[in-house]
């Protein structure tokens, strides 16, 4: 899990510290869901939010590895 988070953070521009903090909260929200149905819905909203913030590379990585992350 730690390596995944590092990969995600590597795709957030380092000049935008507040964006890194937002992504941290987003990742915690995905993994803190109480059941699998809620866990499946949360990432869709997160991915849309990241794309709206122009963090498309970060959104793509989360989208690509979503199944693996939720299985863990």
């Amino acid at each position: 899990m730690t390596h995944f988070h590092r990969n995600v953070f590597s795709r957030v521009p380092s000049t935008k510290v507040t964006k890194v903090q937002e992504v941290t909260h987003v990742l915690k929200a995905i993994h803190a869901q109480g059941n699998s149905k809620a866990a499946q819905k949360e990432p869709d909203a997160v991915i849309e939010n990241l794309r709206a913030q122009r963090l498309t590379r970060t959104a793509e990585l989360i989208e690509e590895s979503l199944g693996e992350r939720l299985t863990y």
Side-chain angles (χ1 to χ4, degrees), residues 2-63:
T2 301
H3 296 287
F4 172 70
H5 287 183
R6 286 182 188 161
N7 287 340
V8 170
F9 296 142
S10 73
R11 296 185 183 210
V12 178
S14 61
T15 58
K16 299 183 178 186
V17 176
T18 56
K19 295 291 183 188
V20 172
Q21 292 170 343
E22 288 178 28
V23 171
T24 300
H25 294 298
V26 163
L27 291 174
K28 287 181 181 180
I30 291 172
H31 292 100
Q33 298 303 309
N35 60 46
S36 62
K37 287 183 181 181
Q40 293 291 337
K41 290 180 184 178
E42 184 69 25
D44 293 335
V46 166
I47 291 167
E48 288 179 29
N49 185 10
L50 290 172
R51 286 196 171 123
Q53 294 180 44
R54 299 179 60 191
L55 296 172
T56 54
R57 292 179 58 215
T58 306
E60 288 171 358
L61 178 62
I62 292 172
E63 190 173 38

